[in-house]
Amino acid sequence: QVQLVESGGGLVQAGGTLRLSCAASGSIFSFNAMGWYRQAPGKQRELVAGITSDGYPNYADSVKGRFTIFRDNAKNTVYLRMNSLKLEDTAVYYCNAKRTTGEYWGQGTQVTVSS
């Protein structure tokens, strides 16, 4: 059973920085892609950033230039570094991992940006 455990969320002022971590219970090489999604109150869950098994990233337009997704294969962990945080970045952030046989989700970590 795959487990994804997120950490690193919290309360930060606008303009600040946070780094989220997603630790997988097994090798992240087994996943075709991993990513971070977020869901704000009253809104649908949306993709924030993804990274392929080859290490190619992609980002939502709203976070380009501010967020960076990267992976540490030795630690089976994917990170999301979030700079210049805005009020609208407030949401629960979820880690996601995809295989051809299915996909997996973490439990989510709350990110709150205050003015």
Side-chain angles (χ1 to χ4, degrees), residues 6 26 30 35-37 40 47 54 60 78 81 85 89 92 98-99 101-102 107:
E6 301 108 330
S30 69
W36 288 94
Y37 288 70
L47 175 66
D54 295 333
V78 173
R81 181 170 180 84
L85 282 161
D89 294 320
V92 178
K98 291 182 174 59
R99 288 175 174 160
T101 54
Q107 81 286 354

Side-chain angles (χ1 to χ4, degrees), residues 1-107:
Q1 182 70 16
V2 173
Q3 287 188 323
L4 302 174
V5 180
E6 301 108 330
S7 60
L11 175 64
V12 63
Q13 285 191 325
T17 295
L18 280 176
R19 190 184 76 169
L20 305 183
S21 301
C22 172
S25 56
S27 171
I28 60 176
F29 282 115
S30 69
F31 302 119
N32 298 329
M34 297 186 72
W36 288 94
Y37 288 70
R38 68 186 180 189
Q39 187 167 19
K43 295 188 176 182
Q44 289 189 331
R45 191 173 296 189
E46 61 176 357
L47 175 66
V48 176
I51 188 165
T52 68
S53 57
D54 295 333
Y56 291 99
N58 64 282
Y59 300 95
D61 288 342
S62 60
V63 306
K64 281 181 181 176
R66 299 188 299 122
F67 290 11
T68 303
I69 187 170
F70 57 102
R71 54 196 288 162
D72 185 332
N73 295 328
K75 295 183 178 179
N76 294 319
T77 300
V78 173
Y79 302 92
L80 183 69
R81 181 170 180 84
M82 306 185 292
N83 294 334
S84 303
L85 282 161
K86 303 177 180 180
L87 297 179
E88 52 264 40
D89 294 320
T90 295
V92 178
Y93 284 70
Y94 297 90
C95 181
N96 173 272
K98 291 182 174 59
R99 288 175 174 160
T100 52
T101 54
E103 65 179 341
Y104 306 89
W105 294 92
Q107 81 286 354

